[in-house]
Amino acid sequence: MHPTLLRALAAIANSAGMRMRRWDFVAAYLQEELEQDEVVYCHAPPGYATTGADGRPRICRIEKPIYGMAQAGRRWQRSLFPWSLDFGFTQCESDP
């Protein structure tokens, strides 16, 4: 996130009488949903069986974005962007 947007969010919170206690963007990534038709799979995490009873490798279907996932940042941006436009921000033409 660009530092200018961080300052703007802090200013908005201040003008609304809110107190800023922390900037937890790692957790913010976990709050969004995948697209309705988006399907993401990953290997089983450490500590789980990596092969099924039939000997084939196990994979997991992801239901929500997880930190480190390539799509997680985009999902969070998808909800933050309309909110910032509603507050009167404009999108920079050099940063689509």
Side-chain angles (χ1 to χ4, degrees):
M1 179 177 286
H2 197 275
T4 304
L5 183 56
L6 289 176
R7 286 191 298 271
L9 290 173
I12 292 168
N14 184 47
S15 68
M18 297 178 188
R19 290 182 47 195
M20 303 289 296
R21 287 185 270 177
R22 71 178 87 149
W23 296 88
D24 193 356
F25 293 113
V26 172
Y29 277 74
L30 306 176
Q31 301 305 314
E32 287 306 313
E33 301 291 332
L34 294 173
E35 296 282 340
Q36 184 175 1
D37 58 344
E38 186 174 22
V39 179
V40 179
Y41 294 97
C42 72
H43 293 284
Y48 286 86
T50 56
T51 57
D54 58 1
R56 295 186 336 187
R58 281 196 174 180
I59 58 172
C60 300
R61 182 177 178 171
I62 303 296
E63 294 183 3
K64 289 185 67 124
I66 55 176
Y67 187 72
M69 190 171 115
Q71 295 91 333
R74 175 68 179 122
R75 297 298 156 254
W76 187 60
Q77 188 270 346
R78 185 183 66 204
S79 69
L80 181 63
F81 185 73
W83 179 85
S84 60
L85 290 177
D86 289 343
F87 265 88
F89 291 95
T90 58
Q91 184 175 0
C92 177
E93 290 182 21
S94 64
D95 187 21

